[in-house]
């Protein structure tokens, strides 16, 4: 199994630009999570999906952030417009109801907004 | 709400020293407890877990015991190696019995030197 795949691994963009982060969960997993990690705030859960349906988006910081999961094998996290304070490492994770609460993390996308 | 408190790092140890990283939690009900590890440049990966009081999770020489009376889940290892240098996160589930979101602590960085 290839594990959770995220792309790109690094993204550098300018303030005001649209950024799209991509995630492919482990095949057969029912849940997908998006996290943000910064030195100041640690690891924050942004949103999670169950069977492609958003369950809890209370961690999404503001309307500039949106996430979709059009099918079981793909999810996107979009920031439009991006701001320097969005600079962080964004992780995607997936899990299966068959292995309770064990989340498998991707390698992350390091986003830098100039 | 649920919360996890970890000792602040960094923790610096010499190789073969004994390691303890403290973790206490606040939760309603009976959460499951986890330790995740993040190696440099990588995503988090599950190190060990315990799903009920007095359970001991163990993996790769690390151990942690679920102590309900003290609401603690301290991570220990008898003899650390340089390769154990990483950031360690304590976490709890907010629901029992289903794959659901995790509440993470702020992480404790461990640096092991020769």
């Amino acid at each position: 199994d290839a594990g959770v795949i995220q792309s790109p691994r690094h993204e550098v963009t300018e303030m005001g630009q649209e950024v799209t982060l991509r995630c492919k969960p482990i095949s057969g997993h029912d849940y997908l999570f998006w996290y943000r990690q910064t030195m100041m705030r640690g690891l924050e859960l942004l949103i999670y999906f169950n069977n492609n349906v958003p369950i809890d988006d209370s961690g999404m910081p503001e309307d500039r952030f949106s996430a979709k999961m059009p099918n079981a094998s793909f999810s996107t996290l979009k920031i439009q417009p991006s701001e320097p304070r969005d600079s962080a490492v964004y992780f995607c994770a997936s899990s299966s109801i068959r292995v309770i609460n064990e989340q498998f993390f991707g390698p992350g996308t390091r986003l830098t907004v100039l | 709400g649920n919360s996890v408190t970890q000792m602040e790092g960094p923790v610096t140890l010499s190789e073969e020293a004994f390691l303890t990283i403290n973790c206490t939690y606040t939760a309603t009900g009976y959460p499951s407890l986890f330790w995740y590890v993040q190696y440099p440049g990588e995503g988090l990966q599950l190190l060990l877990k315990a799903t009920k009081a007095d359970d001991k999770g163990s993996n790769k020489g690390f151990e942690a015991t679920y102590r309900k009376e003290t609401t603690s889940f301290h991570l220990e290892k008898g003899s650390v190696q340089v390769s154990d240098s990483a950031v360690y996160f304590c976490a709890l589930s907010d629901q029992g019995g289903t794959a659901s979101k995790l509440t993470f602590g702020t992480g404790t960085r461990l640096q092991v030197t020769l």
Side-chain angles (χ1 to χ4, degrees):
Chain A
D1 196 325
V4 175
I5 299 172
Q6 291 187 247
S7 64
R9 292 294 309 275
H10 303 273
E11 176 80 34
V12 180
T13 191
E14 294 190 346
M15 184 173 64
Q17 296 299 305
E18 177 180 295
V19 175
T20 299
L21 311 181
R22 298 173 176 80
C23 175
K24 176 177 168 51
I26 292 173
S27 177
H29 279 191
D30 316 281
Y31 289 80
L32 184 139
F33 305 81
W34 281 102
Y35 291 90
R36 178 172 67 176
Q37 186 179 40
T38 62
M39 290 293 291
M40 292 295 294
R41 301 174 67 93
L43 193 65
E44 304 172 276
L45 176 65
L46 301 178
I47 185 171
Y48 78 97
F49 296 82
N50 178 216
N51 293 324
N52 313 337
V53 176
I55 303 301
D56 184 351
D57 66 354
S58 59
M60 296 287 261
E62 48 197 277
D63 291 346
R64 298 184 296 106
F65 286 69
S66 63
K68 295 181 180 179
M69 192 165 186
N71 57 61
S73 58
F74 184 66
S75 177
T76 59
L77 178 68
K78 185 175 294 186
I79 308 172
Q80 166 62 19
S82 59
E83 297 183 2
R85 61 194 168 118
D86 302 330
S87 297
V89 180
Y90 291 82
F91 289 103
C92 176
S94 68
S95 69
S96 167
I97 197 167
R98 294 183 298 277
V99 184
I100 295 172
N101 288 316
E102 180 173 350
Q103 294 183 17
F104 293 79
F105 281 72
T109 295
R110 181 174 294 278
L111 174 64
T112 302
V113 183
L114 303 174
Chain B
N2 295 338
S3 67
V4 175
T5 302
Q6 291 182 235
M7 61 188 290
E8 287 208 17
V11 174
T12 303
L13 295 173
S14 298
E15 200 169 44
E16 298 184 3
F18 185 86
L19 168 71
T20 300
I21 299 178
N22 291 336
C23 171
T24 57
Y25 68 90
T26 302
T28 55
Y30 302 93
S32 295
L33 301 174
F34 307 83
W35 278 101
Y36 278 77
V37 58
Q38 183 180 26
Y39 298 103
E42 298 183 11
L44 282 70
Q45 54 186 276
L46 181 65
L47 180 60
L48 54 84
K49 65 181 179 182
T51 57
K52 61 182 187 296
D54 300 325
D55 268 3
K56 177 185 283 188
S58 62
N59 186 26
K60 300 180 181 180
F62 291 90
E63 294 183 339
T65 301
Y66 189 148
R67 301 287 189 199
K68 194 172 188 332
E69 64 275 14
T70 54
T71 62
S72 65
F73 193 55
H74 304 322
L75 182 68
E76 297 182 335
K77 186 175 186 183
S79 176
V80 294
Q81 306 299 311
V82 172
S83 57
D84 294 326
S85 298
V87 181
Y88 292 81
F89 293 87
C90 186
L92 63 81
S93 63
D94 68 343
Q95 295 178 25
T98 60
S100 61
K101 63 180 183 180
L102 298 172
T103 299
F104 286 91
T106 53
T108 302
R109 181 176 300 277
L110 171 65
Q111 182 70 44
V112 181
T113 59
L114 291 171

